[in-house]
Amino acid sequence: MFSRIAGTGRYLPEKVLTNFDLEKMVDTTDEWIRTRTGIERRHIAAEGETTADLAERAARAAIDAAGIEPTDIDFIVVGTTTPDVVFPNVGCLIQERLGIRGCTAFGLEAACSGFMYALGIADKFVRSGESKRALVVGAETLSRIVSWSDRDTCVLFGDGAGAVVLEPADEAGILSTHLHADGHYGDLLFFPSGVSKGFNDLKSGKDFVQMKGNEVFKVAVKTLGRIVDETLEKNSLDKSAIDWLIPHQANIRIIQATARKLDMPMERVVMTVQDHGNTSAASVPMALDVAVRDGRIRRGDMLLLEAFGGGFTWGSALIRY
Ligand code: COA
């Protein structure tokens, strides 16, 4: 038994923050942001709008696209680094809003790889027959944990949510998923405080995402190159078999490096970084949904999804759509 993607969905908050808006907030330029990252604009959650609000909208869109009712869902996993509250987890929050009772529902934290981890786990539940309809979400309100006076990071991130519904199938579907981490790189990209260690005063400017961008960049390019090889080898496939690359949307230059590794023209790479910025766990499912809904990705296409993020964590999935 395999799992296959039955439907996809996404939701982006209404407010758009452009590079020109950022020019008025920190010492930066549209030109610097565009040439170094590819980002032109990003969406930012409204005051009071939470990760669960975004996740619920994306989940409903994916459930509609799958042609099922919310109550058909029997497994919920939400990858997020920015949950509404410590608990109930965001999975439970959207379970309640969707009117579902009793099924497995949990949140999972693997930074920008959160959706890849969630997909890998949900795939195993569907394959084993334990779940018939799994809702897999990546959702973030990263804007709440970046310092809006730190130009090194605030220009990079955005908010949003993406979701897929998985169902059982006789043929793949999801061919393989690959999940990795290396905690030795924890100090290159991190959020310094939390419930157990203690929060600083958010207004003090100490509690925000911190990153050694240059070093993250180098490890990301190398690591994503390796996971692409691993994914192809596991399936005895040549890189020419991939129809679409759906990468984590952190930086256009990292994406271009992975595309070069696969000898893929950029027309076969789904790019949303210009419009979404880096939305962490939400980035891959939102990019997937964009290309499914605009008709580029069709049933039968071979997709390679990949992500890399803080931890470090990284993951990939090879999918016959
Ligand atoms: N606007 C203008 N200048 C900026 C800036 C901004 N928003 N942010 C940094 N700079 C400056 C730096 O202060 C530095 O100035 P200096 O040379 O006077 O010291 C200069 O630009 C170059 O900084 P550097 O960090 O070397 O730039 P870079 O080419 O490495 O690009 C990133 C920075 C963050 C875009 C790049 O390193 C990157 O994308 N890294 C990966 C980040 C990422 O994807 N993280 C998430 C992974 S999930």
Side-chain angles (χ1 to χ4, degrees):
M1 182 131 66
F2 292 95
S3 76
R4 74 188 275 275
I5 294 176
T8 67
R10 73 178 183 282
Y11 181 73
L12 286 148
E14 264 172 44
K15 181 179 169 188
V16 174
L17 189 72
T18 66
N19 292 350
F20 297 105
D21 296 326
L22 281 165
E23 283 182 355
K24 295 178 202 130
M25 297 162 65
V26 287
D27 181 14
T28 191
T29 60
D30 168 61
E31 206 261 335
W32 191 96
I33 302 171
R34 259 190 304 107
T35 51
R36 304 276 174 136
T37 71
I39 300 167
E40 295 170 25
R41 60 191 72 78
R42 70 286 292 142
H43 291 247
I44 303 292
E47 215 179 313
E49 194 174 31
T50 68
T51 295
D53 293 331
L54 311 185
E56 180 192 355
R57 304 281 282 262
R60 287 191 187 278
I63 289 167
D64 277 353
I68 60 169
E69 294 299 319
T71 48
D72 294 326
I73 298 290
D74 60 7
F75 180 95
I76 301 172
V77 55
V78 182
T80 185
T81 319
T82 47
D84 296 36
V85 291
V86 176
F87 64 87
N89 71 69
V90 178
C92 289
L93 295 180
I94 66 170
Q95 181 198 38
E96 191 271 330
R97 293 176 188 201
L98 294 170
I100 306 166
R101 305 189 81 162
C103 78
T104 308
F106 63 105
L108 172 165
E109 194 260 300
C112 298
S113 312
F115 176 78
M116 300 311 308
Y117 269 62
L119 188 72
I121 292 165
D123 172 54
K124 281 159 192 69
F125 271 78
V126 175
R127 270 177 188 237
S128 70
E130 275 203 44
S131 162
K132 289 264 173 286
R133 298 273 187 285
L135 175 63
V136 188
V137 186
E140 300 280 14
T141 44
L142 258 279
S143 63
R144 301 277 152 69
I145 60 165
V146 297
S147 163
W148 290 100
S149 57
D150 175 25
R151 69 174 185 177
D152 290 345
T153 50
C154 76
V155 303
L156 302 176
F157 297 102
D159 300 334
V164 303
V165 171
L166 297 184
E167 66 182 10
D170 294 333
E171 284 175 27
I174 298 185
L175 288 144
S176 67
T177 61
H178 306 262
L179 307 175
H180 296 283
D182 189 343
H184 285 92
Y185 291 107
D187 61 344
L188 295 186
L189 176 55
F190 62 99
F191 186 86
S193 52
V195 179
S196 184
K197 197 174 173 197
F199 284 103
N200 299 309
D201 175 3
L202 267 174
K203 292 201 176 79
S204 73
K206 286 188 190 137
D207 277 339
F208 59 82
V209 173
Q210 303 191 23
M211 181 174 70
K212 297 193 177 106
N214 230 313
E215 292 173 55
V216 174
F217 187 94
K218 284 183 227 155
V219 183
V221 168
K222 237 189 273 164
T223 307
L224 289 170
R226 274 209 318 272
I227 204 169
V228 162
D229 284 341
E230 176 189 333
T231 310
L232 292 171
E233 272 164 31
K234 162 86 181 172
N235 293 282
S236 308
L237 276 184
D238 185 75
K239 50 194 169 188
S240 59
I242 309 296
D243 294 307
W244 294 100
L245 174 64
I246 298 121
H248 174 45
Q249 309 282 325
N251 181 308
I252 191 172
R253 293 180 298 149
I254 299 177
I255 295 173
Q256 285 165 337
T258 311
R260 268 197 302 278
K261 164 104 194 158
L262 284 165
D263 287 334
M264 286 187 90
M266 288 307 283
E267 302 82 65
R268 308 302 288 177
V269 180
V270 179
M271 291 277 299
T272 54
V273 70
Q274 67 285 357
D275 299 323
H276 298 173
N278 181 348
T279 56
S280 186
S283 104
V284 170
M286 287 208 293
L288 173 66
D289 184 61
V290 165
V292 165
R293 284 178 193 262
D294 71 20
R296 273 179 289 170
I297 292 178
R298 288 157 189 254
R299 285 287 172 201
D301 285 352
M302 188 69 85
L303 317 180
L304 179 58
L305 281 54
E306 47 86 342
F308 178 91
F312 287 150
T313 56
W314 61 99
S316 67
L318 188 74
I319 301 174
R320 174 76 71 188
Y321 182 67

